[in-house]
Amino acid sequence: DFEASFIRLIDKVTNGSRIEINQTGTTLYYQPGLLYGGSLEHDCSPSRGIGYYLESLLCLAPFMKHPLKIVLRGVTNDQVDPSVDVLKATALPLLKKFGIDGESLEIKINRRGMPPKGGGEILFACPVKKVLQPVQFTDPGKIKRIRGTAYSVRVSPQIANRMVESARGILNKFLPDIYIYTDHMKGVSSGKSPGFGMCLTAETINGTILSAELASNPQGQGAAVLPEELGQNCAKLLLEEVYR
């Protein structure tokens, strides 16, 4: 179902695409059309995160005929796909290096949605750039600061603070400049399922951004995760990313 949803999304952003799927769903015939863009909306399948759909849109968006402005609904943070937070923190600065920038380049999280039911909503907007600047970018540089977001929806707001404390307990040994925001969404903007998680990014002198993230197990699946453990594990994942 999530692949079918992805095909429908590609059909929306293009004009004149031909798509044929056989009855058993094992072969796909796809004839690409023009990248059209414009203002669109799409409901993503809740079995995969919005990141799954957003990754490919990020590659196509700069080459549309009209600036793309799309609202995607579904799961913003899960354990499978890169979350919207991570793509916002890592992919946008990368696009700027290629000369894609301006007011209209943004990823905005209006609502958070956790699996299994989702209910999140994001806005992705990107200007049209027919030509990219060549980039020479080989030296990652030393790490100067760490930023992050600890989010919680439909659980106690205190959980986000507990994650931040345990993550800082590890990271403060290495670096003074650490700031982890807490993001607790209430009411309609908190989606349909409870959950919490964390996304951390380390930024270097040269503007390289490394990221790590973790999310709690979906409601009714797997063991309950302690916020302290999740914060610690997320910090360790980021350190491993730096180590690599």
Side-chain angles (χ1 to χ4, degrees):
D1 61 337
F2 62 87
E3 285 167 347
S5 175
F6 177 71
I7 293 168
R8 280 197 292 278
L9 171 64
I10 295 298
D11 191 38
K12 278 181 192 172
V13 298
T14 56
N15 187 1
S17 295
R18 271 187 60 207
I19 300 164
E20 291 165 20
I21 303 174
N22 71 345
Q23 280 165 333
T24 52
T26 48
T27 58
L28 165 75
Y29 170 78
Y30 178 74
Q31 193 176 355
L34 292 169
L35 291 170
Y36 193 74
S39 287
L40 302 162
E41 291 188 3
H42 183 67
D43 292 330
C44 304
S45 155
S47 51
R48 289 294 287 264
I50 291 179
Y52 171 76
Y53 303 86
L54 197 54
E55 273 184 315
S56 32
L57 282 181
L58 282 162
C59 304
L60 298 173
F63 310 106
M64 300 278 176
K65 191 174 178 191
H66 300 283
L68 180 67
K69 201 170 183 183
I70 186 163
V71 172
L72 298 172
R73 296 189 186 88
V75 173
T76 53
N77 305 78
D78 69 354
Q79 295 172 321
V80 188
D81 299 293
S83 69
V84 180
D85 301 83
V86 159
L87 288 175
K88 181 179 179 177
T90 55
L92 292 191
L94 202 55
L95 287 181
K96 285 179 182 161
K97 283 198 169 49
F98 286 98
I100 305 163
D101 53 5
E103 295 282 302
S104 49
L105 176 68
E106 66 163 344
I107 295 177
K108 190 176 166 204
I109 302 174
N110 299 330
R111 300 175 184 171
R112 270 189 199 284
M114 299 292 287
K117 292 184 185 155
E121 179 182 292
I122 69 140
L123 168 77
F124 170 51
C126 181
V128 174
K129 274 275 190 291
K130 293 296 180 207
V131 183
L132 297 186
Q133 288 175 5
V135 171
Q136 196 168 9
F137 191 49
T138 51
D139 176 26
K142 297 259 190 246
I143 289 180
K144 61 173 181 179
R145 63 172 174 208
I146 292 176
R147 293 287 179 267
T149 308
Y151 56 86
S152 54
V153 290
R154 300 198 172 268
V155 291
S156 152
Q158 205 47 45
I159 283 190
N161 301 339
R162 284 162 64 186
M163 284 189 285
V164 173
E165 266 176 50
S166 61
R168 290 193 66 124
I170 291 180
L171 297 173
N172 271 352
K173 295 173 191 169
F174 304 105
L175 210 66
D177 188 359
I178 297 174
Y179 202 91
I180 304 174
Y181 299 89
T182 54
D183 177 10
H184 179 73
M185 288 195 165
K186 296 191 183 83
V188 187
S189 53
S190 65
K192 297 174 183 165
S193 296
F196 55 89
M198 184 177 234
C199 119
L200 293 173
T201 52
E203 201 180 317
T204 69
I205 315 165
N206 298 353
T208 314
I209 294 175
L210 305 170
S211 67
E213 62 170 331
L214 273 179
S216 59
N217 290 331
Q219 187 183 13
Q221 295 171 33
V225 186
L226 278 175
E228 283 80 4
E229 277 177 20
L230 191 135
Q232 280 176 357
N233 293 342
C234 193
K236 286 175 185 167
L237 277 177
L238 183 70
L239 294 175
E240 193 171 308
E241 202 68 37
V242 173
Y243 171 68
R244 282 191 205 145

